[in-house]
Amino acid sequence: MTTKLFGEPVQRREDPRLLTGQGRYLDDLGPGALAAAFVRSPHAHARIRDIDVSGALDVEGLVAIYTWEDLPGRAGQPLPLLIPHPALTHGRTAYPLAKDVVRHVGEPVVMVVARDRYLAEDACALIEVDYEFLKPVVGVEEALRSGNLVHEDVPDNVGAHMVQEVPSADGRGAAEAIEAAPYSLEFRLDIERSASMPLEGRGVYARWDADDHSLRVYSSTQTSTSVRMAIAATLGLPLPKVEVIAPDVGGGFGVKIMHPWPEEILVPWAAITLGREVKWTEDRREHFISSAHERAQVQQVKVGFDGEGHVLGLDVTILHDHGAYTPYGIIVPIITSTQLLGPYRIGAYRVEFSSVYTNTVQVTPYRGAGRPQGVFCMERTMDHISRHLGLDRAAVRAANFIQPDEFPYDQGMIFQDGRPLIYDSGDYPESLRMLKELIDWDGFPARKAEAAARGRRLGIGIGCYVEGTGVGPYEGGHVQVTSDGRVHVSTGLTSQGQGHETVFAQIAASELGVPLERVSVVTGDTRRFGYAVGTFASRAAVMSGNAIALACRKVREKALRIAADALEADPRDLSITDGVVHVAGDPRASIPLATVAVLSNPLRYAFDEEAKRATQFAGGGSADRPPIEEGDEPGLEGREYYSPIRSTFASGMHAAIVETDPDTAEITILRYAVVHDCGNLINPMIVEGQIHGGVAQGVGGALYERMVYDQHGQLLNASFMDFLMPYVTEVPAVETAHLETPSPLNPLGIKGAGEAGVIPVSAVIASAVEDAEDFPIDRMPLSPSELFDLRSRHGTG
Amino acid sequence: MKPPPFDYHAPRDLGEALAVLAETGEHGKVLAGGQSLIPLLNMRLAAPGHLVDINRIDPLDTLTATAEGVTVGALARHSRVERSSEAAAAQPLLRQALRLVAHPVIRNRGTVVGSLVHADPAAEMPAVLALLGGSVRLARADGPAREVAAADFFTGPLESALRPGELAVSAFFPALPPRSGTAFREFARRHGDYALAGIAALVTLDEAGAVGAVKVACIGVGATPIVLDLTGVEPDAVAHAVRGRIEPEADIHASADYRRHLAGVLAARAVDEANGEARRAFDHAGR
Ligand SMILES: Cc1cc2nc3c(=O)[nH]c(=O)nc-3n(C[C@H](O)[C@H](O)[C@H](O)COP(=O)(O)OP(=O)(O)OC[C@H]3O[C@@H](n4cnc5c(N)ncnc54)[C@H](O)[C@@H]3O)c2cc1C
């Protein structure tokens, strides 16, 4: 590997396109397509008595109006439950269009297709749906208590109930260990809803070729391959006749890994039915009330510990708000339950969760996917212990760390990939040392006292996490060197702006020894690569990155074999630099990769000057052997898959210094420091960008964002005016340091980085505000109004 | 999020605009900077049959500062007024307040007069007009223009004295009196958002340099800007005095108690700052 690109802070190749308005997002496509719009339920819970479309029929430009009754066969069935699990005894999913009961505000009831979106919305406004009100269920505790049911056949609104228990080394259960511990504490924690909230909402654009009987669908999705299979299966189309392409996607953060969305079935179906191009672009209000939220949990914690802060027993009971449906299964509470353990080796652990239905937007993974809640729980616990014992918060954490020589470390649970929760590598004491240095942890008490003398309130907080990344089952990579020397890389998973084009090109260029500019990367296009899982769980670099590296290695091996033949050299003496194969020790003996590509494909017809070298009278090859050896293929290309035995575990620690205004209760983040370990860094600049973005979302979840439902199930803040996503002015500068403990599980030694930044932020800010205010912070997000209220309650206002 | 159907009018002069407004009556809506109206239309919270776009009427794009005060034409954008040093010299509160109105890109389109007519209870410019005792000039096709004093102009949340058929052609903000200072303090959740609470303050010293008159206007704590005369209130009693005279309501961002508390904090800070400004003006004049 002479062209060293792996590990370099290469500038993002997608930025000139994306930053100068040349991206092709869903709504940029199909300018002539018909537009779809939806009549959505204005009620949280109601039975549909009648739908009267007559008022809309005169709208000029109206093309079609569809209700559930129009949907044929499987399209009229409930949407798939993507991840079944034995504990999800009462999984429920919605119909693409509501059948008879609507279960949250925003559920689609009627689809309208018209010449443009304006007219489609005009028609929607004229359709009258007669509803019989049913009692809404809002809030998890209310769901268990009230007796009202979201689904008639789901008792107590409990969709899933799961208990996992890991006894201590000496065989005690959690209850027993807590009982026996020198100290114990009990407390309750609350986390509210937030959402992925990508700036580009969802969107689907479908074209039906009636002559060819083929369908092309563009969707703003995180998984084009799976959307394709869902469409083919639901609409009864042969898979080879369906193509799904994810164009540039303006953010996903999890909400677009959910699929198939109703619109991903309905828009293609309408395109086929009408024989016209149809497009639907989600608007912001629709995104708020019709896509997915996450985060809301109520946690009851019991912990037993000794005088040094070692956790001897931990018992957590979680009420998880799942909203109205469970299409993505119970992945989020499973992740909370398992990732709660963080970098710690604790005594006995018992975790129990109930996944509860409410008449609100469904819950599916949002960046972090249950981890922010788990980390909030564990880190609040660490702070509670420190406070109780009067010990330094960092020291209590350190006392519980898994040590570097304990890897691989088995936490004794089953992770979200159905595999054992075994950490592959890490160095938590070193991370903590780096973090304390970065934020000047030890110097803070003096700084705090000095500020206090001037009437200012400062606080410092800390939070640690471990993140299982790169979950399977697999991803693939395809690499082709064409006779012009260009390298074409494709992988099936999709991109939402993370920088895949850059890092995958870095990997390919490094592996093949070609200049970066010669590599092009295509993601999320089923025409190029049909097998894939998708982009989520910080898995793209680990999964596709390794698959691409393996494919490159295959191509490289073949290139060296062909070049060795042509140069009459030993393949072991060859190297590739700048796209040219060289013989070691003989500077004149070389052959460009482009020529190798020509030679790799024996030709009958010379389509250009270069190609002549591969034709039958050019004199290459032995007359005794077939032009393509058995087991070989024409062309310089390779396809490989990477399928890990289990996830790889990245980790990190964050610290923040906050100031709280004694008068206004304003909370300002003065410093924010991150130590991050995702194994070998492919591109440190991109990793930092991912961390910055994650922290920004974390700050949103900690101080600004919540979904305010009233008791009727109306979302009161369904716009950017009242849902306070932080602006750049609210996000602190993020100071980062990297630790690299390579993963032993994959060829590149990498771990995922995509979600890291968001995971511990609520825990860190709570820790810091608690330090500043000197009373417990057990609920996030925290607004100035709530802090004011807490001060009054604690008598410190 | 597409507006319901409407007829669009783009008059070239004031007369034509007034004629269209007269004709369309209560079905007509003026479109100025569009920063408040367009979102309302897109969310279908407003459905006027006719939009009367005044952006082509150049004579409305005026800004004049005299010794009496500053007259802002209907098409003067927030940013123009904010940047005008003549306006700031005549009435510094204008710039102090405008810096807190939304973000620069919004100030580049949004108009001061539009902001007054829109009458958001948390908006800054209505408070400025109310505190200073300014006025809005309303023109109509079938009669003479009328000048409505701030005290009569803001009639409720998002409600003003503007009648169907009328166009607000300008607003008048009285100049800073001698020996006076102003300040605007507010608290918003995010930079540039409408404030949870805010206070505009005007302090005037008497000829001996003692505090003469103190007035504040509160935003975000009532249906309209609330003007309070705090003359004679000791500095450390300002917060308390304000808290006792407002009845804020809770919403999803803040409790009523917090808003009341905040208004007090901000009032103390604003009055203190305005007092400092007044003192500077007094010292300056004395020299
Ligand atoms: C993200 C965002 C944040 C904002 N934050 C703030 C803030 O912090 N503080 C603040 O004060 N404002 C804020 N605004 C609103 C902004 O100041 C608007 O510009 C202002 O409220 C309205 O001015 P406009 O010219 O855009 O009016 P338009 O939106 O065009 O019109 C608003 C209303 O006034 C009427 N109208 C406008 N001009 C006239 C006229 N000459 N005669 C009669 N009727 C008229 C219209 O018919 C309409 O009903 C914000 C806006 C946005 C989008």
Side-chain angles (χ1 to χ4, degrees):
Chain A
M1 237 204 284
T2 39
T3 317
K4 166 97 169 79
L5 281 164
F6 189 102
E8 294 296 309
V10 174
Q11 295 220 333
R12 285 163 44 104
R13 321 169 86 196
E14 40 276 87
D15 280 351
R17 181 177 88 251
L18 298 180
L19 298 182
T20 59
Q22 294 172 65
R24 278 171 84 239
Y25 296 96
L26 197 281
D27 200 39
D28 296 325
L29 311 174
L34 299 175
F38 291 85
V39 175
R40 296 180 184 275
S41 171
H43 307 297
H45 200 190
R47 188 177 304 282
I48 299 170
R49 275 201 290 237
D50 182 45
I51 301 174
D52 180 3
V53 302
S54 55
L57 297 177
D58 293 337
V59 169
E60 179 225 334
L62 176 74
V63 176
I65 298 177
Y66 301 115
T67 65
W68 176 82
E69 287 180 4
D70 298 304
L71 303 179
R74 283 184 65 178
Q77 296 298 309
L79 293 161
L81 199 164
L82 292 172
I83 310 182
H85 189 286
L88 180 55
T89 50
H90 294 79
R92 295 290 179 273
T93 61
Y95 291 87
L97 291 172
K99 185 161 172 253
D100 35 37
V101 176
V102 287
R103 294 190 176 81
H104 66 86
V105 170
E107 192 163 347
V109 179
V110 184
M111 179 187 192
V112 172
V113 182
R115 201 172 60 224
D116 63 41
R117 178 69 179 249
Y118 293 81
L119 301 170
E121 289 192 19
D122 289 348
C124 284
L126 296 166
I127 292 171
E128 285 178 26
V129 184
D130 182 16
Y131 293 98
E132 172 195 338
F133 301 131
L134 302 172
K135 289 203 172 112
V137 176
V138 182
V140 276
E141 290 164 298
E142 175 70 12
L144 292 183
R145 208 184 309 134
S146 73
N148 299 326
L149 295 178
V150 177
H151 300 273
E152 267 176 7
D153 54 352
V154 180
D156 298 328
N157 295 309
V158 176
H161 179 253
M162 188 170 171
V163 180
Q164 288 191 270
E165 174 128 40
V166 190
S168 64
D170 58 2
R172 286 179 206 237
E176 200 190 333
I178 295 166
E179 182 78 15
Y183 303 93
S184 65
L185 288 171
E186 269 191 62
F187 47 91
R188 171 198 165 121
L189 300 169
D190 285 83
I191 295 136
E192 292 193 29
R193 277 186 177 220
S194 186
S196 303
M197 212 45 73
L199 286 189
E200 184 200 22
R202 300 178 293 124
V204 189
Y205 160 49
R207 309 185 343 198
W208 172 247
D209 184 331
D211 298 327
D212 188 46
H213 276 264
S214 65
L215 177 72
R216 179 181 297 176
V217 177
Y218 294 84
S219 181
S220 189
T221 179
Q222 290 173 235
T223 175
S224 51
T225 43
S226 198
V227 169
R228 176 190 185 214
M229 289 190 278
I231 291 172
T234 311
L235 301 182
L237 298 169
L239 191 64
K241 290 292 190 184
V242 180
E243 300 167 345
V244 176
I245 299 159
D248 282 324
V249 172
F253 309 111
V255 68
K256 295 177 184 173
I257 192 63
M258 230 328 281
H259 70 281
W261 288 99
E263 299 85 356
E264 284 173 328
I265 302 296
L266 297 170
V267 170
W269 170 71
I272 295 170
T273 306
L274 298 169
R276 306 273 299 273
E277 296 185 11
V278 180
K279 182 167 75 174
W280 168 74
T281 306
E282 186 183 55
D283 66 33
R284 187 55 54 186
R285 183 168 162 76
E286 287 182 297
H287 190 76
F288 270 101
I289 62 172
S290 312
S291 57
H293 302 162
E294 213 228 274
R295 302 282 199 253
Q297 286 184 356
V298 176
Q299 305 167 338
Q300 295 287 348
V301 185
K302 285 185 212 154
V303 61
F305 49 100
D306 67 16
E308 285 163 343
H310 293 114
V311 177
L312 304 175
L314 180 65
D315 186 336
V316 182
T317 304
I318 300 168
L319 284 183
H320 175 77
D321 178 358
H322 228 127
Y325 300 105
T326 47
Y328 208 82
I330 47 175
I331 285 298
V332 173
I334 287 177
I335 294 180
T336 303
S337 307
T338 46
Q339 299 260 269
L340 195 149
L341 294 171
Y344 309 113
R345 137 200 273 286
I346 67 169
Y349 176 49
R350 179 181 185 279
V351 59
E352 169 180 355
F353 71 77
S354 299
S355 210
V356 179
Y357 288 112
T358 56
N359 289 115
T360 57
V361 171
Q362 66 191 11
V363 164
T364 70
Y366 153 39
R367 195 179 197 175
R371 292 180 190 84
Q373 301 93 311
V375 169
F376 187 68
C377 180
M378 186 54 118
E379 296 301 306
R380 293 285 68 221
T381 302
M382 290 291 165
D383 283 356
H384 268 283
I385 294 172
S386 314
R387 207 178 155 78
H388 190 78
L389 297 174
L391 294 177
D392 174 54
R393 288 169 289 164
V396 168
R397 286 167 170 83
N400 287 286
F401 279 159
I402 295 161
Q403 297 303 309
D405 59 2
E406 293 181 281
F407 292 99
Y409 186 84
D410 189 347
Q411 287 280 23
M413 304 186 79
I414 298 298
F415 191 44
Q416 64 146 323
D417 51 3
R419 312 234 155 190
L421 183 68
I422 300 176
Y423 295 178
D424 51 338
S425 65
D427 188 345
Y428 310 139
E430 175 61 10
S431 280
L432 183 64
R433 189 198 62 72
M434 288 169 69
L435 182 71
K436 285 172 69 176
E437 187 179 300
L438 187 60
I439 197 87
D440 188 19
W441 180 266
D442 294 330
F444 182 73
R447 181 170 174 197
K448 180 178 174 174
E450 188 190 311
R454 284 179 285 118
R456 293 175 61 190
R457 266 185 224 179
L458 303 192
I460 195 167
I462 184 172
C464 310
Y465 68 92
V466 166
E467 183 199 357
T469 70
V471 302
Y474 73 86
E475 281 308 326
H478 179 257
V479 176
Q480 180 182 22
V481 183
T482 45
S483 57
D484 52 7
R486 284 192 253 223
V487 179
H488 308 273
V489 175
S490 66
T491 185
L493 60 63
T494 60
S495 296
Q496 300 84 46
Q498 295 93 332
H500 295 156
E501 281 174 48
T502 308
V503 293
F504 293 160
Q506 281 179 264
I507 291 170
S510 291
E511 293 285 344
L512 289 174
V514 299
L516 194 67
E517 311 76 63
R518 227 175 272 174
V519 184
S520 63
V521 176
V522 170
T523 60
D525 184 340
T526 65
R527 294 173 300 180
R528 291 288 300 279
F529 207 99
Y531 288 94
V533 183
T535 298
F536 58 95
S538 305
R539 69 191 294 280
V542 177
M543 302 303 301
S544 283
N546 278 296
I548 289 165
L550 293 173
C552 287
R553 288 175 192 181
K554 191 169 176 183
V555 168
R556 178 185 160 90
E557 194 188 303
K558 180 168 185 179
L560 295 187
R561 180 160 49 80
I562 295 168
D565 266 358
L567 296 168
E568 295 177 355
D570 186 330
R572 281 168 300 180
D573 294 338
L574 300 182
S575 64
I576 314 178
T577 315
D578 262 349
V580 179
V581 187
H582 296 275
V583 181
D586 184 353
R588 281 158 310 140
S590 68
I591 180 171
L593 214 47
T595 309
V596 177
V598 171
L599 296 176
S600 72
N601 182 19
L603 293 173
R604 183 159 182 85
Y605 311 114
F607 56 85
D608 68 5
E609 201 54 37
E610 265 290 293
K612 286 180 181 168
R613 298 181 64 156
T615 53
Q616 46 273 331
F617 300 109
S622 155
D624 306 332
R625 317 245 359 129
I628 300 284
E629 295 282 355
E630 203 180 308
D632 205 356
E633 290 176 358
L636 192 50
E637 61 181 303
R639 178 189 304 269
E640 281 291 345
Y641 292 86
Y642 172 64
S643 180
I645 47 165
R646 56 180 174 266
S647 301
T648 173
F649 289 81
S651 65
M653 302 184 187
H654 295 195
I657 297 177
V658 304
E659 172 161 13
T660 57
D661 187 308
D663 298 320
T664 63
E666 181 171 23
I667 303 163
T668 310
I669 303 171
L670 300 180
R671 281 187 69 196
Y672 201 95
V674 175
V675 173
H676 182 249
D677 184 354
C678 60
N680 292 333
L681 293 167
I682 306 168
N683 183 325
M685 187 170 71
I686 285 180
V687 169
E688 276 181 29
Q690 289 295 309
I691 293 171
H692 293 176
V695 170
Q697 278 182 316
V699 168
L703 297 176
Y704 297 97
E705 299 170 359
R706 53 165 44 104
M707 293 290 172
V708 186
Y709 276 100
D710 69 8
Q711 83 258 34
H712 308 294
Q714 294 291 341
L715 184 58
L716 300 180
N717 62 338
S719 84
F720 278 153
M721 191 152 175
D722 287 316
F723 176 84
L724 306 178
M725 184 188 277
Y727 304 131
V728 68
T729 37
E730 280 65 53
V731 178
V734 180
E735 306 162 55
T736 49
H738 298 288
L739 177 66
E740 294 181 69
T741 49
S743 171
L745 296 183
N746 62 67
L748 297 175
I750 57 181
K751 303 178 176 185
E755 293 165 279
V758 79
I759 294 171
V761 184
S762 280
V764 172
I765 301 298
S767 179
V769 174
E770 184 169 296
D771 185 42
E773 296 286 325
D774 208 27
F775 49 71
I777 303 293
D778 289 339
R779 166 185 278 274
M780 283 305 230
L782 183 64
S783 70
S785 180
E786 287 157 316
L787 180 57
F788 169 76
D789 193 41
L790 283 174
R791 283 177 179 174
S792 316
R793 265 197 276 148
H794 290 279
T796 59
Chain B
M1 295 243 252
K2 301 285 185 218
F6 55 80
D7 286 338
Y8 174 77
H9 307 266
R12 298 261 158 199
D13 59 49
L14 184 59
E16 197 187 333
L18 294 179
V20 180
L21 284 169
E23 210 173 294
T24 55
E26 61 192 31
H27 302 291
K29 266 264 176 215
V30 171
L31 174 68
Q35 299 302 295
S36 299
L37 183 55
I38 297 292
L40 287 175
L41 294 178
N42 284 350
M43 290 192 260
R44 296 195 179 222
L45 294 173
H50 300 264
L51 276 197
V52 185
D53 182 348
I54 60 171
N55 284 278
R56 286 173 186 75
I57 311 176
D58 293 341
L60 293 178
D61 188 7
T62 55
L63 177 64
T64 36
T66 66
E68 280 73 49
V70 179
T71 305
V72 180
L75 268 189
R77 314 286 167 181
H78 291 313
S79 57
R80 178 176 173 197
V81 182
E82 178 193 353
R83 282 187 211 124
S84 160
S85 42
E86 291 81 14
Q91 181 45 268
L93 187 57
L94 289 172
R95 182 179 284 172
Q96 289 167 333
L98 282 164
R99 283 191 175 148
L100 301 172
V101 174
H103 312 274
V105 285
I106 292 162
R107 298 203 287 271
N108 284 341
R109 288 297 301 173
T111 62
V112 169
V113 171
S115 195
L116 297 173
V117 175
H118 188 61
D120 191 296
E124 290 80 1
M125 298 319 283
V128 171
L129 194 81
L131 179 71
L132 301 175
S135 57
V136 181
R137 190 173 177 78
L138 305 175
R140 57 185 308 118
D142 56 0
R146 58 188 184 119
E147 194 83 25
V148 182
D152 304 320
F153 190 70
F154 304 108
T155 53
L158 303 180
E159 282 168 24
S160 74
L162 184 94
R163 293 185 197 132
E166 284 182 328
L167 178 73
V169 285
S170 63
F172 174 72
F173 296 88
L176 185 71
R179 305 181 305 279
S180 299
T182 56
F184 208 117
R185 289 293 186 105
E186 69 173 37
F187 187 85
R189 284 304 320 274
R190 298 173 301 183
H191 194 91
D193 279 1
Y194 277 112
L196 295 183
I199 301 283
L202 171 63
V203 173
T204 302
L205 305 185
D206 63 20
E207 296 196 345
V211 175
V214 179
K215 249 175 35 164
V216 298
C218 318
I219 62 169
V221 293
T224 58
I226 299 172
V227 179
L228 300 175
D229 190 341
L230 301 178
T231 306
V233 176
E234 289 299 316
D236 55 7
V238 164
H240 187 75
V242 167
R243 285 175 191 143
R245 289 202 241 165
I246 53 175
E247 265 317 318
E249 284 180 18
D251 67 7
I252 61 174
H253 300 298
S255 66
D257 280 351
Y258 177 62
R259 275 213 164 81
R260 180 181 290 109
H261 168 81
L262 203 52
V265 172
L266 295 167
R269 290 179 183 179
V271 168
D272 183 58
E273 185 186 327
N275 195 13
E277 292 297 318
R279 179 110 1 242
R280 207 160 304 143
F282 180 84
D283 293 347
H284 190 77
R287 235 174 279 134

